[in-house]
Amino acid sequence: MQGRLIVFEGVEGCGKTTQIARSQTWLLESGLLAQLKTQSQISHLVVTREPGGTELCQAIRQLLLHPTGQEAMQNRTELLLYAADRSQHVAGFLKPQLAKGALVLCDRFTDSTIAYQGYGRRLDRNLIDQLNQIATDGLTSDLTLWLDVAVEVGLMRAKQRGTGDRIEQATLDFHQRVQQGFTELAQAHPQRIVRIDASRSEEQVFKDIQAAIQHHLKRWQAA
Ligand code: Z5A
């Protein structure tokens, strides 16, 4: 595999969408991507997200976040839908892109399932690990940037933005457990997950993200 997968993670409103857009612009406009093309196997940049990274995944995203009707979604159904979304995204988009040399910026990946369905919904961790393994077919991120912000701050930001999907509307307790999940994942995988203090201004957060990405690009080039 020639490309690299960079994942952005964190609770609602932590600033992933904002920082992915800034990172994309920076990589394209600073000349860094052009430099990478000549000095490494990276050929292009793509931005994607889970759920919803392909056309079929978009339909799954709609079902997950904005279901119609009154029927409550079962926790295992939710887990299986996230796994279905990931399976389609990995096989139909991520792996082909990485094989072509893409530098991929992805909004959420496997850690979200562990944090939300594992810690949040309290579903069995072994089951989640098995499903993640099946859905990814072994693909892991090269770098995960965890935008760490207090749940209350993130939810307030998300609320001000004015959306509010099915999961955003879950209890504060649920979101605290999700945050605990990300915290424990970062402690368990210090090589892969870099914690970014996302409670600061957009500009300060972005500076840390630039530093982390540059550091890892250098490491990958040297490898
Ligand atoms: N989910 C799951 O349960 N299991 C899984 O396996 C996967 C996902 C893959 C996806 O929703 C949902 O799916 C998500 C987890 C679940 N739960 N929910 N809800 P989504 O993709 O629609 O949304 P999200 O991933 O939760 O992100 P978000 O709510 O869109 O937030 P964000 O992208 O992290 O933040 P943002 O849009 O960049 O910023 C939010 C607002 O804050 C915005 O007005 C910004 O201008 C502002 N902002 C950003 N940064 C700052 C700073 N630094 N200071 C002040 N204000 C800021």
Side-chain angles (χ1 to χ4, degrees):
M1 196 164 293
Q2 298 163 345
R4 294 286 176 176
L5 175 59
I6 301 177
V7 173
F8 291 68
E9 291 279 11
V11 295
E12 278 68 46
C14 65
K16 293 178 286 83
T17 311
T18 306
Q19 297 297 338
I20 288 172
R22 290 188 76 144
S23 302
Q24 182 180 23
T25 307
W26 163 60
L27 286 163
L28 291 172
E29 293 181 0
S30 66
L32 193 55
L33 190 72
Q35 193 185 322
L36 283 172
K37 283 183 192 173
T38 59
Q39 294 175 357
S40 74
Q41 293 182 321
I42 300 292
S43 62
H44 62 293
L45 178 74
V46 290
V47 172
T48 186
R49 67 175 176 178
E50 291 195 358
T54 73
E55 196 181 348
L56 198 59
C57 295
Q58 264 297 116
I60 301 174
R61 179 185 173 91
Q62 184 65 21
L63 199 55
L64 275 163
L65 301 181
H66 306 285
T68 52
Q70 297 302 311
E71 188 179 345
M73 187 177 295
Q74 300 296 320
N75 288 344
R76 279 193 172 206
T77 308
E78 181 184 271
L79 171 64
L80 290 166
L81 284 172
Y82 279 113
D85 169 83
R86 181 159 304 128
S87 174
Q88 183 67 22
H89 189 218
V90 168
F93 184 80
L94 288 179
K95 282 198 170 184
Q97 285 292 336
L98 290 166
K100 282 192 274 182
L103 180 64
V104 182
L105 306 183
C106 185
D107 192 335
R108 298 195 182 281
F109 197 51
T110 46
D111 292 332
S112 276
T113 316
I114 297 171
Y116 281 86
Q117 281 64 52
Y119 286 77
R121 302 283 190 227
R122 297 194 169 111
L123 289 174
D124 181 66
R125 177 67 188 267
N126 286 331
L127 174 65
I128 292 172
D129 287 346
Q130 278 178 43
L131 282 170
N132 269 340
Q133 178 60 32
I134 292 167
T136 60
D137 195 21
L139 179 68
T140 53
S141 80
D142 293 291
L143 166 66
T144 297
L145 298 167
W146 169 40
L147 273 55
D148 182 15
V149 73
V151 166
E152 293 85 350
V153 175
L155 288 174
M156 184 61 74
R157 287 184 193 165
K159 205 171 169 185
Q160 277 164 1
R161 191 194 44 197
T163 46
D165 56 45
R166 200 176 56 84
I167 294 178
E168 224 163 272
Q169 288 155 6
T171 62
L172 188 60
D173 192 42
F174 169 85
H175 290 287
Q176 300 283 16
R177 290 200 301 278
V178 171
Q179 176 75 327
Q180 183 63 23
F182 283 123
T183 306
E184 289 182 22
L185 278 165
Q187 282 161 359
H189 303 281
Q191 298 292 333
R192 176 175 65 82
I193 303 178
V194 172
R195 176 187 173 272
I196 306 282
D197 178 356
S199 64
R200 298 161 304 152
S201 72
E202 272 185 40
E203 193 54 42
Q204 286 171 314
V205 175
F206 183 52
K207 282 205 173 103
D208 281 7
I209 288 175
Q210 284 177 302
I213 291 179
Q214 267 170 327
H215 173 76
H216 280 76
L217 286 174
K218 274 194 195 130
R219 266 186 48 191
W220 297 333
Q221 272 179 288

